[in-house]
Amino acid sequence: MSDDVEWVDEEAGPVVRPYALTGGRTATSTSSSAFDLLSMVVANGSVISAGSHLGSEHRRLLGLMKRTRPIVEIASESGLPIGVIKVLLGDLLDQGLILVRSPLPANTSPAEGLLREVISGLRAL
């Protein structure tokens, strides 16, 4: 991977093109095509097999997912584009190393009673 690293200056650090991190892939596999920005992901604690083709970015993402987090937060903290994150997470899902939970559908709304309690609480302030 050292061929893909270009030093801009000492403060910026190395610059790696996104396609180098994904092996030139821009889409996830069929089993991971349902990634949403608000999908929650977590590492399931499985051991990485010796024959897996996971790179350092995959391992770094696993470190960021020790607790359940939305994909958008992982992308923000890692500093990688969301497209790259989705491809790398697809690899981890295919290896059985993460669990993914899709967000609730947008048409799911909270109960009316709960909303009334929130409004009452805000008025009390």
Side-chain angles (χ1 to χ4, degrees), residues 5-56:
V5 177
E6 173 187 334
W7 284 91
V8 177
D9 60 31
E10 290 301 318
E11 290 181 22
V15 175
V16 179
R17 301 284 182 237
Y19 64 82
L21 297 174
T22 62
R25 297 171 295 142
T26 58
T28 60
S29 66
T30 55
S31 66
S32 60
S33 61
F35 283 134
D36 183 270
L37 290 179
L38 298 179
S39 294
M40 301 296 282
V41 293
V42 66
N44 63 15
S46 297
V47 177
I48 299 172
S49 65
S52 70
H53 301 286
L54 300 179
S56 61

Side-chain angles (χ1 to χ4, degrees), residues 60-61 63-64 67 69 71-80:
R60 186 169 76 116
L61 288 180
L64 292 174
R67 62 179 177 84
R69 304 171 79 173
I71 290 176
V72 69
E73 186 178 309
I74 293 167
S76 175
E77 190 165 326
S78 69
L80 295 172

